Amino acid sequence: MDHVYGRLFLGGDWVEPVTTSTITVVSAGTEAPIGQVPEAAPGDVDTAVAAARRAFDDPRGWASWEPAARAAAMHRLADEIDSRRTEFVRRVSLQNGMPVSIGTQTEGVYPAKLLRYYADLISTQPVEHTRRSMVSGNTLVRREPLGVVAAIVPWNFPQSLLSFKLAPALASGCTVVVKPAPETVLDSFLLAEAVEAAGLPAGVVNIVTGGREIGSYLVIHPGVDKVAFTGSEAAGRSIAQRCGELLRPVTLELGGKSAGIVLDDVDIAAVARDWFGAFLLNQGQTCYISTRILAPAGRYDEIVDAVTSMAARLRIGDPLDPKTLIGPLVSARQRDRVEDYIAKGIAEGGRVTTGGKRPEHLSRGWYVEPTVFADLGNDATVAREEIFGPVLTVIRYRDEDDAVRLANDSTYGLGGTVWTSDPTRGLDIARRVRTGSFGVNGFTLDPGAPFGGVKASGLGRELGPEGLSAYQQLKSIYLPA
């Protein structure tokens, strides 16, 4: 195994874990072990939270630093991450199967970019301002950090989604305990090395490893002030319940079953080049992508053929090959889940126009061919539930009102797209769909704009100035005239 770690990064140091339990990391593309790290126990979480607590409560600690000083430290961390960019992308690809062609644009970009963005933001945002009281005198309104943050991140974009939390938390003056997914822990140890090299104060960033039990223990830990979670709807509901009982602030970015509305005026040749990124990015293991394709009845067969052609042409193979667009799924369990959904789609009368199988030329790795279903309605299981795999369903609609109705007929509301030759018409559709984000003729996640969901897709927003506010609390101080 190439990457073996024997200690956890807690309190600014590499610490012997409480137990000898380990997590063995297996490559999604080869099914071979590639690394091993300690598996944290509750005692390790206690150590991590205590270190974060000390770093936050210290009168001269991270929370008390002037914004310019925190910003300088964050820029140093961004530089250290940038210097390890290639290795971050490689480790993520080895672990979860993300093609390096995708990782180079996401895992290799967002972490440093967001650290610099929020460092610059706090350098210009006033910590406090004075308002004239509506009664008498004045009121001083202050922005203060929330405290110790539990950042729990998934395996699909492990470093990008961590940076959605880590960057604004650090900028606000919070300290952080990170809990990565057990499938993708090797990149988090690389992050620990970057934190150490950047010289961040002890306890500002701590990393604990483990599965759901450790995550649950961290969520309810009495030393935690806020929880930031990205993951499944089921886990998110459980976390929301516990945080509600504790009156603990929580940000939840959960699942999606977004709609890609293809309007009847669309020039398919002009937009189809962008469908891969909007429909199948990272083997479909992307929360916001449009996996329900809504097509007008009059052009249904034409659009089915175009989506089928797009999916069938995608190169499947080694995720470390820069030409690969479809890599393996993250685990055997995830592949089984996706194959179960494909079987349900067939059983419910769906017509598979491409894919539906494991690629014959790849004997190792957890691969599933990009799969397109036709002739199913919006009530089909594959159209209702989040599959998190390379499976698309093309659904007929009658007119624009019917398309919007179908798009909104979902328990989720995270992303979505509309495809049209008339951007004004597309913008009108975008305004009518109940979702947290949407794209006209494509979708790009903008770090400077709020991102999050409605309905079962989550609570709160990340990114943009709004993402910083999620780690701050407001204090009003009355000043007599």
Side-chain angles (χ1 to χ4, degrees):
M1 292 186 286
D2 293 335
H3 309 287
V4 178
Y5 292 87
R7 299 184 178 190
L8 296 168
F9 187 71
L10 309 174
D13 201 0
W14 294 94
V15 177
E16 289 286 346
V18 170
T19 74
T20 58
S21 297
T22 59
I23 296 172
T24 298
V25 184
V26 178
S27 168
T30 66
E31 304 180 39
I34 55 173
Q36 187 177 81
V37 304
E39 182 176 28
D44 297 308
V45 175
D46 293 341
T47 300
V49 174
R53 184 85 266 159
R54 286 193 301 272
F56 183 79
D57 291 342
D58 182 349
R60 297 183 180 181
W62 184 252
S64 70
W65 284 21
E66 290 296 321
R70 287 202 303 272
M74 292 173 65
H75 276 287
R76 290 198 304 273
L77 178 55
D79 291 343
E80 292 294 340
I81 288 173
D82 263 346
S83 72
R84 296 164 172 80
R85 178 186 302 176
T86 301
E87 181 62 10
F88 271 115
V89 172
R90 190 186 75 88
R91 289 195 189 190
V92 170
S93 179
L94 284 171
Q95 292 172 107
N96 70 6
M98 177 187 294
V100 293
S101 59
I102 307 302
T104 300
Q105 303 172 52
T106 55
E107 304 299 272
V109 172
Y110 277 105
K113 180 186 286 288
L114 282 168
L115 283 165
R116 294 189 178 107
Y117 169 77
Y118 283 108
D120 293 344
L121 188 60
I122 59 166
S123 299
T124 58
Q125 182 189 79
V127 174
E128 56 189 29
H129 68 277
T130 302
R131 302 178 186 176
R132 180 169 295 279
S133 171
M134 295 179 64
V135 181
S136 65
N138 297 295
T139 299
L140 184 72
V141 179
R142 285 181 52 81
R143 297 175 181 269
E144 298 184 344
L146 272 170
V148 175
V149 174
I152 303 175
V153 294
W155 45 257
N156 57 329
F157 291 88
Q159 285 301 308
S160 294
L161 293 172
L162 172 57
S163 69
F164 286 18
K165 301 157 183 56
L166 183 64
L170 293 180
S172 70
C174 294
T175 56
V176 185
V177 178
V178 177
K179 208 293 285 183
E183 293 87 351
T184 47
V185 290
L186 299 179
D187 51 293
S188 67
F189 281 74
L190 188 63
L191 173 65
E193 294 170 8
V195 169
E196 185 178 36
L200 265 65
V204 171
V205 178
N206 311 268
I207 299 173
V208 295
T209 53
R212 291 183 179 181
E213 295 79 10
I214 287 299
S216 297
Y217 185 75
L218 178 60
V219 164
I220 64 172
H221 198 286
V224 168
D225 298 301
K226 176 188 168 66
V227 176
F229 172 80
T230 298
S232 71
E233 177 194 348
R237 288 184 181 277
S238 175
I239 291 171
Q241 182 178 4
R242 301 311 300 271
C243 288
E245 293 169 351
L246 295 166
L247 298 180
R248 181 166 294 170
V250 61
T251 301
L252 302 171
E253 197 267 280
L254 308 178
K257 194 67 184 180
S258 303
I261 304 172
V262 184
L263 296 185
D264 55 10
D265 67 351
V266 71
D267 179 350
I268 291 176
V271 299
R273 64 180 180 275
D274 295 318
W275 281 356
F276 164 69
F279 299 168
L280 285 168
L281 185 70
N282 198 24
Q283 295 81 259
Q285 298 173 139
T286 306
C287 52
Y288 61 76
I289 56 174
S290 303
T291 55
R292 290 182 296 145
I293 315 302
L294 307 184
R299 299 185 66 181
Y300 182 79
D301 291 339
E302 178 188 2
I303 291 166
V304 167
D305 289 346
V307 173
T308 299
S309 177
M310 177 275 297
R313 289 199 308 268
L314 299 174
R315 178 166 175 160
I316 308 172
D318 179 2
L320 295 178
D321 183 343
K323 295 180 181 179
T324 294
L325 290 176
I326 297 290
L329 299 177
V330 68
S331 65
R333 181 176 63 180
Q334 185 67 10
R335 181 179 63 183
D336 291 345
R337 170 186 166 87
V338 171
E339 290 177 333
D340 285 347
Y341 273 109
I342 292 172
K344 288 179 183 177
I346 294 171
E348 292 177 11
R351 173 168 58 94
V352 175
T353 63
T354 189
K357 311 182 302 296
R358 301 178 186 183
E360 295 179 357
H361 69 288
L362 296 167
S363 59
R364 303 284 291 179
W366 300 304
Y367 292 89
V368 173
E369 294 174 337
T371 301
V372 178
F373 277 105
D375 301 336
L376 286 172
N378 201 51
D379 57 347
T381 301
V382 292
R384 304 301 298 179
E385 299 180 12
E386 184 179 41
I387 299 172
F388 228 56
V391 180
L392 305 176
T393 306
V394 187
I395 301 166
R396 287 183 179 83
Y397 69 82
R398 296 186 303 274
D399 52 29
E400 280 189 20
D401 288 342
D402 190 41
V404 172
R405 179 188 67 80
L406 290 171
N408 289 333
D409 181 17
S410 173
T411 59
Y412 297 105
L414 184 59
T417 51
V418 62
W419 306 85
T420 175
S421 295
D422 183 351
T424 301
R425 188 181 176 200
L427 184 57
D428 178 64
I429 293 288
R431 290 181 173 125
R432 296 171 63 192
V433 178
R434 289 192 61 213
T435 186
S437 57
F438 205 82
V440 178
N441 289 333
F443 183 83
T444 300
L445 197 63
D446 177 9
F451 174 73
V454 301
K455 299 186 281 188
S457 287
L459 298 171
R461 292 294 181 269
E462 297 183 306
L463 302 181
E466 295 81 3
L468 182 63
S469 299
Y471 296 89
Q472 297 171 326
Q473 55 190 352
L474 299 177
K475 176 189 289 183
S476 297
I477 303 174
Y478 173 67
L479 302 171

